Structures are given as structure tokens and as C-alpha cells.
Amino acid sequence: MARPRVRLVVTADDFGYCPRRDEGIVEAFLAGAVTSVSLLVNGAAAESAAELARRHQIPTGLHANLSEGRPVGPARHGTSSLLSPEGFFLGKMGFREAVAAGDVDLHQVREELEAQLSRFGELLGRDPTHVDGHQHVHVLPGVCQVFAEALQAYGVRFTRLPLERGVGSCAWLEAPARSFACAVERDARAAVGPFSRHGLRWTDAFVGLSTCGRHMSAHRVSGALARALEGIPTGHALTAELMAHPGYPSVPPTGGCGEGPDAFSCSWERLHELRVLTTPTLRARLAQDGVQLCALLDLDSKRRGEVVPGEATLEAFLESSPP
């Protein structure tokens, strides 16, 4: 039976977090296992990461950060609803709680996003290929609207929509990870409207919430893509994104975004992802499944009349996913 044809973007997040993480990401890119990176402009190694991106011509987007470390915008000079009394962002869950409570000033969110977009241009000398969100902050209620407005104003066309079909039934995920993934999925579903109204585009399918860290394997990546493509007519051409976090583990105190590296970056799981991505098993499995790796910019080469990324499977996904 013919399979859907899939063009897969493999994006390595947290570029610029620390030199060891960046070393592994570049290694994966040069091996053809990673096709895109997302840069943290407030990362400790942002400047050296930008130099690596220029040297190796790595397609690079902005990993918009509102949850970890220090800001780069006006907030760094005074008090802000985005920051703790110590001057750091509120954290992965702290920022979410503040947004839910209505304690975050969305005007300050817009200022910080614009400052990070501007800083990206200073570092790379060009616009980002895409903008997504560190710890998926870009799909949070209210934030997604400001995010979409800022990207439209800067002429950015591509973002990430972290809707991973079936992630709630992935029994291998620990309960907190599964709960977080389901929350991200719900937020992403609600962000579709603002993103669409402001002309943003994204891949037809997304995977990575169920294959992060120790949970990544060729079998699970293949399975996640298969779930994402269920019900798609055979022979239909689709686009997908695999979110990944490869690299050599950070060694404190080097790295981070102003507070040192976190446990996620120091974990052996970063090396595990690097090994899975660069060994032949995954590439062979993807080829067997009819998946071709490509750069994000390649998805922008569709001719007039072709389906725009983000539209081909969205309606089917929303209908088949529980509310």
C-alpha cells in the first residue's frame, strides 16, 4: 500500500544554551540528522552559536524565551510582570501560572518578543527562518495573540504548532510529562485562530512531546509520525516537524540563560537524543516509512495552488482529538 509522502524538518531547540549543547547540535546538523535549529538569544552561548550558524550555514530560527533566565528587552532595567524580584523570568510553570492568573502584562510580553527578534537580527545579520517558543510559551492564552502580531509585524511566516496526535495515550510518559504535553496540546489548539488570522504557517504534523529525552527511539519517532498521519490519503504529500533537544550535557556553571544550566540540559538524555538522531537506525526507519528530511525553508517553495503547510491535516486532527 502506498504511504503518504512526508517531508520532515528536524529542529534542534536551545541552540545557544551552552557550548557543549551547541557542539552536539552542530555535529547532528553536519551528519544530516538535524535540519534546523532554534536559537535562544538570551542564552549564555548565543554569540558563539550565531557564529557557528553562519559558518556552517545552518537554517536558524528564534527560540522565543519568556520563562528562563534574564530578559533582553526593557524589563531588564526595572520591575516587570515577567520577572521575579531577583530579575529572572518566572520559570516554566511559574510563567504559566502567572498568565493563567492574569498577572502578566501582555504589552511587556510584546516588548520582550520584539527585543528578542531585534537581538536575533544583530547576532545573525538576517531574519529568523521561523520563531517558536521555549517551553512552548508561544501558544499560551493571550501570549499567542501577541506572539502572532509580533511575528506578522516582523514578516516572519513560520512557527511551530505543538499539536501531537495521541500524546495523551503514550503510556511510557511519566504522569507529569504526559499532563504537561496534554496542556501544551490544548493551548496549541486554541492558538490556531490567532496564528491563522495573522498569516502564520506551520507544518501539517508535529511530533516530539512523546519522544523527548530518554523516550526517543527510532521506533517511537516512527510511531509518532504514523499516529500523526492516520487517515491521510495514500500518496498525499505532507510536511512534519520533529522537535529534538540533542547535545552533549551541560557542565555547571557553564551555560543557561543567566542562572546556570538546568537539570534538563545537564542530563545524559541530551546525549541519548544525539545518538538516536545520528545513528543509521532512525534514518533507515524514516526512509522505509517514506519520510524525507528537509530544511524548513524548503517547505516555502510550494508552487501556486499547492496546499499551504498547516492546512492539510489540521481539520482532521481537531475533529479526531478530544476537547
Side-chain angles (χ1 to χ4, degrees), residues 13 23 25 29 39 55 95 97 102 109 111 155 165 174 203 206 212 223 250 278 280 292 319:
D13 287 359
E23 179 185 352
I25 289 171
F29 174 77
L39 175 69
R55 183 190 314 165
F95 181 68
E97 292 165 1
V109 168
E111 287 183 332
R165 179 181 281 180
E174 298 84 355
T203 55
F206 167 84
C212 185
S250 302
T278 55
Q292 176 186 2
E319 290 176 352

Side-chain angles (χ1 to χ4, degrees), residues 178-232:
R178 188 163 61 249
S179 176
F180 179 74
C182 290
V184 168
E185 181 193 2
R186 288 192 298 270
D187 290 336
R189 189 193 316 275
V192 168
F195 284 5
S196 298
R197 286 192 294 272
H198 291 278
L200 297 182
R201 300 166 63 180
W202 52 88
T203 55
D204 299 313
F206 167 84
V207 297
L209 291 169
S210 67
T211 60
C212 185
R214 73 186 71 187
H215 302 303
M216 180 177 279
S217 68
H219 173 74
R220 284 182 175 153
V221 169
S222 176
L225 283 170
R227 288 193 304 274
L229 302 175
E230 285 177 4
I232 304 303

Side-chain angles (χ1 to χ4, degrees), residues 115-137:
Q116 293 189 21
L117 283 160
S118 178
R119 178 60 175 155
F120 183 97
E122 293 171 0
L123 289 170
L124 272 296
R126 60 168 177 78
D127 295 330
T129 58
H130 64 280
V131 181
D132 53 37
H134 184 49
Q135 299 169 340
H136 309 291
V137 295

Side-chain angles (χ1 to χ4, degrees), residues 11-16 36-40 59-63 130 132 160 241:
T11 305
D13 287 359
D14 303 338
F15 198 49
S36 176
V37 300
S38 291
L39 175 69
L40 286 163
T60 305
L62 171 64
H63 205 40
H130 64 280
D132 53 37
R160 169 185 294 165
E241 179 185 15

